[in-house]
């Protein structure tokens, strides 16, 4: 499970470059790391730490943005190889919403299963929002109302199903969704299985 996502109001980080792939987000040499805690240390590692271990000037290390929960990105965010750790690292750092013109398909699928909301908006709108983020605007996300705001003004609706709003609001991952929505069917299957093959449960 992830932390519930219902409403938030926050600063946003701007990373407008095109095709930020999953290897940039989470470099391959960290793939053996499977504990989700501490994934944030690997996030954009090669953009944040130089070859001699020196700190680079990166928005994710700006103290003024440490509590930001929204990322405004450029086209093709999360493209490249399948790498669930890229999503885990963003969420572990504190990002809950990524706004971009489009996303890598596998990244977007992983995001939905791990409490990270991907919001697709036109490229012109994303460029405007990136500039607003850099100027210090406050971004608001209200999932029940399905709306994105900036400094209190509505910017866009969120195209989310009732099922998606519930999953984000409860903090459900893919297994939680199955257990909470299909539990009656699961129990019926188990009861029928026991009735047909009781010797397996002796």
């Amino acid at each position: 499970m992830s932390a519930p996502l219902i409403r938030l109001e926050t600063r946003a980080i701007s990373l407008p470059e095109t095709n930020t792939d999953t290897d940039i987000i989470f470099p391959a040499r960290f793939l053996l790391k499977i504990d989700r805690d501490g994934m944030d240390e690997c996030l954009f590692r090669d953009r944040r730490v130089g070859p001699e271990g020196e700190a680079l000037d990166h928005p994710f290390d700006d103290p003024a943005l440490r509590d930001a929960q929204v990322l405004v990105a450029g086209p093709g965010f999360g493209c490249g190889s399948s790498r669930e750790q890229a999503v885990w690292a963003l969420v572990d750092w504190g990002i809950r919403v990524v706004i971009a013109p489009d996303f890598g398909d596998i990244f977007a699928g992983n995001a939905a299963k791990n409490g990270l909301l991907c919001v697709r908006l036109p490229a012109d709108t994303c460029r405007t929002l990136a500039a607003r983020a850099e100027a210090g605007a406050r971004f608001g996300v209200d999932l029940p109302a399905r709306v994105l705001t900036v400094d209190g003004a509505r910017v866009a609706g969120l195209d989310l199903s009732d099922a998606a709003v519930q999953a984000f609001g409860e903090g459900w991952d893919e297994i939680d969704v199955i257990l909470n929505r299909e539990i009656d069917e699961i129990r019926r299957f188990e009861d029928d299985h026991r009735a047909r093959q009781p010797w397996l449960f002796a």
Side-chain angles (χ1 to χ4, degrees):
M1 292 184 70
S2 57
L5 174 58
I6 302 172
R7 297 177 183 86
L8 58 82
E9 183 179 332
T10 175
R11 288 280 305 274
I13 293 175
S14 170
L15 290 179
E17 69 179 85
T18 298
N19 294 332
T20 299
D21 65 34
T22 52
D23 192 55
I24 293 172
I25 300 168
F26 193 91
R29 66 183 180 279
F30 299 118
L31 286 176
L32 292 179
K33 181 177 175 58
I34 58 174
D35 185 348
R36 296 195 193 191
D37 292 333
M39 285 280 181
D40 61 329
E41 297 174 1
C42 308
L43 181 65
F44 294 109
R45 180 75 177 186
D46 295 334
R47 302 295 176 90
R48 297 168 66 188
V49 180
E52 304 300 323
E54 71 276 18
L56 303 177
D57 184 18
H58 193 275
F60 273 86
D61 292 313
D62 183 345
L65 296 171
R66 186 58 192 88
D67 294 329
Q69 294 178 275
V70 172
L71 171 62
V72 183
F77 187 81
C79 61
S81 64
S82 171
R83 195 166 301 184
E84 198 165 13
Q85 290 94 331
V87 172
W88 294 349
L90 284 162
V91 172
D92 190 46
W93 192 91
I95 297 297
R96 300 304 308 276
V97 179
V98 182
I99 302 168
D102 53 75
F103 298 88
D105 290 340
I106 298 173
F107 176 88
N110 287 334
K113 298 171 185 175
N114 288 280
L116 181 66
L117 176 63
C118 291
V119 178
R120 292 176 175 83
L121 293 176
D124 288 346
T125 301
C126 288
R127 284 191 289 270
T128 298
L129 294 180
R132 298 288 299 277
E134 291 167 10
R138 303 285 296 180
F139 283 61
V141 176
D142 187 326
L143 265 66
R146 295 171 172 80
V147 65
L148 169 70
T149 61
V150 177
D151 286 338
R154 185 183 186 280
V155 171
L158 302 176
D159 184 16
L160 295 170
S161 67
D162 290 343
V165 170
Q166 182 186 30
F168 278 107
E170 298 288 348
W172 288 346
D173 62 19
E174 193 171 24
I175 300 301
D176 295 317
V177 168
I178 293 170
L179 291 176
N180 283 280
R181 293 190 181 144
E182 309 295 338
I183 191 63
D184 291 339
E185 188 63 29
I186 292 170
R187 286 173 177 157
R188 280 193 292 271
F189 172 82
E190 290 175 340
D191 290 344
D192 182 61
H193 190 195
R194 285 177 182 273
R196 287 186 291 105
Q197 297 178 306
W199 60 88
L200 294 177
F201 303 92

